[in-house]
Amino acid sequence: MKNKSLGLLLAITLVGCGGGGDDGGPIISGPAPAPVPPPVASNCTIGYSVTSNPILTGADPLIGSQWHLSNTGQSGGTPNEDVKAFGAWQVTKGQGVRVAVIDDAIETVHPDLTPNAVVGGSYNYLTGSNLPLPCTSDDGHGTQVTGLIVARDDNGIGVSGVAPRATFVGYNALSSSRAGDIADALGRDSQLNHISNNSWGSPDNGFKQASEASWNTAIDNGIRNGRNGNGSIYVFPAGNGGFVELANKASIKETSNFDGYANRLGVITVCATDHNGALPFFGERGSNILVCAPAAGSASAGGLRTTGINGAYPPDFIGTSAATPVVSGVVALMMAANPNLSWRDVPIILANSARKNQPADADWNGTGSARFNHKFGFGVVDANAAVNLARTWTSVGKSDTLRTCSNGYSASPNSAIPDAGGTLASPIVSPVASTIMVSGCSISQIEYVEITFTSDDHTYSGDLRLRLSSPSGSVSQLADSTVCGQDLALSDNPCRQNYNNWKFGSVRHLGENSNGAWRFEVTDMGPGDTGRFQNWTLKIYGR
């Protein structure tokens, strides 16, 4: 249902408003009250003034350029490479769902965001106010992110979000340097917020980077206690490390499994495709990737058109930062169609309703809902299919019914990893493997697998290729070998960062049975450095 009523847009725009955040001003019925300025940050260069503008109605003039919603080839890409939003809107546009955006700042007075903002719901971690508006031109990221999720439709101005009638709050925790603010934002108002969009992650530099203990605790608390026990939905990007240039000008490809924020139970990890459905140059691979969303055009067509600071509509937002809010918007549509979905239901529905893109790509493995590609996860998110599946979905349960099998599932082969012979271009390899036999586990349908691996004495971990094979024969490609070069200081060389109890997460085995032989294989793909396969553990989650 479309709301055609008019109101007054309260544009509380303030000189020196304080940096960062994700909030929107409210729609006010009747005269707009006088704004109360929040505390002022001294470094703000964007000035705002108070205005009251009517909320308009009518078609969104720029929606035709939003090829990710409906791709007709308008960007030069392949028609139908989109998220099928228009079909989903025949069922819902996200009414009743509330999305929290954790980012740097949001222009809450942007006319396409204000109608969907929760009055007083946002929080500015710099000033303590509920108006975390941009301070400088560098604070535009959160405004772009938010527009892709909840920009208002049918108001005659600009664009539409994927869930254009959902509401949002914003938390500018990324603008704060205080320890604990991000964890606080992840749990803030967790009974009111359905989805937490996080278009950020670890630096894309090739290094393995674990998440903080406070972050881990926040995610655990959110999925266990958020939404009255149904669990908060956390959406994170897979990363943009498909092309990483090191200090010696060598280029490497990072794996998403090296980002602790994207490599964990309870997180929906999102990759990006371009307007042809292909992997963009920045795309990462990973066994942790659930689904992709369109988020890159061509060099001439740019990326996604969304909301920007100073009331703008930039057409060039790209990266997994852009793909993530598209998926968050789809999740909002799903939850509007079925408010009882748990945090466990959402990724299963997304995986089973995803569209297989680039069907000729050689990395696709498996059939039906079991198909998987380490570039694309289970495929491109399909809003129409996801909403329709969600409408009749029977929940698999909440955290209290999630089963875990881990007792005794460890092995310490302490075996030498044979060094590769031949050359880097043509290595001669001899893998070393260890098997863990799982029996008596009550999980007949896997939802997530966690693997911990240690080889802390290998002098060049970039040589190592890591693979996990399940009892059914499907393979999680946990890490590929890479070449960083020898002319780097240790602190600049991710290839020399050892594996020391590094946790890999995998959604690859979704729906499989847990019992049987699990095989972990380590292969040295480059000559000249050696080490041992010391130990590994296996933890399985599911039902």
Side-chain angles (χ1 to χ4, degrees), residues 77-228:
T78 303
N80 297 317
E81 280 294 342
D82 54 50
V83 300
K84 315 302 178 191
F86 290 177
W89 290 352
Q90 301 305 307
V91 178
T92 179
K93 291 188 175 181
Q95 296 93 329
V97 176
R98 176 164 150 165
V99 183
V101 183
I102 300 177
D103 218 284
D104 58 359
I106 283 184
E107 189 168 275
T108 48
V109 296
H110 195 294
D112 250 359
L113 298 182
T114 301
N116 290 335
V118 175
V119 178
S122 298
Y123 186 73
N124 188 325
Y125 282 87
L126 297 181
T127 66
S129 76
N130 59 16
L131 290 171
L133 302 175
C135 265
T136 72
S137 60
D138 293 332
D139 290 335
H141 189 265
T143 303
Q144 293 178 304
V145 166
T146 307
L148 290 175
I149 308 172
V150 294
R152 186 62 169 254
D153 69 322
D154 289 338
N155 60 355
I157 48 171
V159 298
S160 174
V162 175
R165 296 300 171 102
T167 59
F168 77 94
V169 297
Y171 306 136
N172 66 331
L174 297 192
S175 293
S176 171
S177 58
R178 288 192 303 269
D181 279 355
I182 287 178
D184 179 83
L186 290 167
R188 182 174 287 268
D189 282 342
S190 64
Q191 302 308 314
L192 301 175
N193 299 329
H194 298 82
I195 303 158
S196 175
N197 186 91
N198 299 269
S199 288
W200 50 272
S202 300
D204 295 315
N205 56 15
F207 282 91
K208 297 179 283 290
Q209 300 178 78
S211 52
E212 300 84 4
S214 61
W215 183 91
N216 293 328
T217 299
I219 297 294
D220 284 339
N221 287 339
I223 60 177
R224 184 182 305 113
N225 303 315
R227 294 192 302 127
N228 296 313

Side-chain angles (χ1 to χ4, degrees), residues 55-392:
I55 302 301
L56 304 175
T57 60
D60 302 309
L62 297 176
I63 196 171
S65 65
Q66 293 186 277
W67 58 266
H68 65 287
L69 298 179
S70 178
N71 190 342
T72 62
Q74 66 269 56
S75 66
T78 303
N80 297 317
E81 280 294 342
D82 54 50
V83 300
K84 315 302 178 191
F86 290 177
W89 290 352
Q90 301 305 307
V91 178
T92 179
K93 291 188 175 181
Q95 296 93 329
V97 176
R98 176 164 150 165
V99 183
V101 183
I102 300 177
D103 218 284
D104 58 359
I106 283 184
E107 189 168 275
T108 48
V109 296
H110 195 294
D112 250 359
L113 298 182
T114 301
N116 290 335
V118 175
V119 178
S122 298
Y123 186 73
N124 188 325
Y125 282 87
L126 297 181
T127 66
S129 76
N130 59 16
L131 290 171
L133 302 175
C135 265
T136 72
S137 60
D138 293 332
D139 290 335
H141 189 265
T143 303
Q144 293 178 304
V145 166
T146 307
L148 290 175
I149 308 172
V150 294
R152 186 62 169 254
D153 69 322
D154 289 338
N155 60 355
I157 48 171
V159 298
S160 174
V162 175
R165 296 300 171 102
T167 59
F168 77 94
V169 297
Y171 306 136
N172 66 331
L174 297 192
S175 293
S176 171
S177 58
R178 288 192 303 269
D181 279 355
I182 287 178
D184 179 83
L186 290 167
R188 182 174 287 268
D189 282 342
S190 64
Q191 302 308 314
L192 301 175
N193 299 329
H194 298 82
I195 303 158
S196 175
N197 186 91
N198 299 269
S199 288
W200 50 272
S202 300
D204 295 315
N205 56 15
F207 282 91
K208 297 179 283 290
Q209 300 178 78
S211 52
E212 300 84 4
S214 61
W215 183 91
N216 293 328
T217 299
I219 297 294
D220 284 339
N221 287 339
I223 60 177
R224 184 182 305 113
N225 303 315
R227 294 192 302 127
N228 296 313
N230 279 314
S232 302
I233 310 300
Y234 294 103
V235 190
F236 275 79
N240 300 328
F243 179 86
V244 176
E245 186 175 275
L246 303 178
N248 61 353
K249 304 303 180 182
S251 63
I252 63 170
K253 294 181 181 294
E254 188 176 280
T255 172
S256 183
N257 283 113
F258 286 179
D259 184 341
Y261 300 122
N263 186 39
R264 193 186 186 283
L265 177 72
V267 168
I268 293 171
T269 302
V270 178
C271 53
T273 56
D274 67 14
H275 62 175
N276 291 311
L279 187 73
F281 74 92
F282 56 78
E284 297 185 22
R285 294 165 50 88
S287 63
N288 58 322
I289 295 172
L290 188 75
V291 289
C292 283
S298 64
S300 58
L304 307 189
R305 186 178 291 277
T306 182
T307 51
I309 58 176
N310 294 321
Y313 293 95
D316 54 358
F317 190 24
I318 70 170
T320 52
S321 284
T324 298
V326 172
V327 171
S328 289
V330 173
V331 175
L333 297 176
M334 292 164 52
M335 302 192 78
N338 185 346
N340 296 317
L341 296 177
S342 73
W343 69 271
R344 294 170 57 197
D345 296 324
V346 171
I348 298 172
I349 293 172
L350 288 172
N352 281 277
S353 60
R355 174 175 55 81
K356 184 178 180 180
N357 59 306
Q358 297 287 297
D361 189 279
D363 285 349
W364 284 109
N365 191 275
T367 59
S369 61
R371 68 173 188 264
F372 190 84
N373 188 316
H374 286 81
K375 299 173 185 172
F376 307 121
F378 291 95
V380 173
V381 66
D382 186 320
N384 189 33
V387 165
N388 281 292
L389 185 57
R391 293 172 74 184
T392 58

Side-chain angles (χ1 to χ4, degrees), residues 388-454:
N388 281 292
L389 185 57
R391 293 172 74 184
T392 58
W393 186 259
T394 300
S395 180
V396 302
K398 307 175 185 179
S399 290
D400 58 352
T401 61
L402 179 68
R403 297 174 181 174
T404 305
C405 292
S406 61
N407 291 337
Y409 298 153
S410 63
S412 301
N414 201 25
S415 301
I417 305 170
D419 193 24
T423 65
L424 284 174
S426 300
I428 301 172
V429 300
S430 299
V432 59
S434 174
T435 297
I436 288 176
M437 183 62 68
V438 174
S439 61
C441 178
S442 62
I443 296 174
S444 61
Q445 295 187 69
I446 294 172
E447 296 175 28
Y448 194 83
V449 174
E450 183 181 277
I451 310 97
T452 305
F453 169 64
T454 296

Side-chain angles (χ1 to χ4, degrees), residues 7-12 26-36 50-53:
L8 293 178
L9 177 66
L10 178 60
I12 305 178
I27 278 197
I28 303 294
S29 297
V36 178
V50 177
T51 59
S52 294
N53 301 317

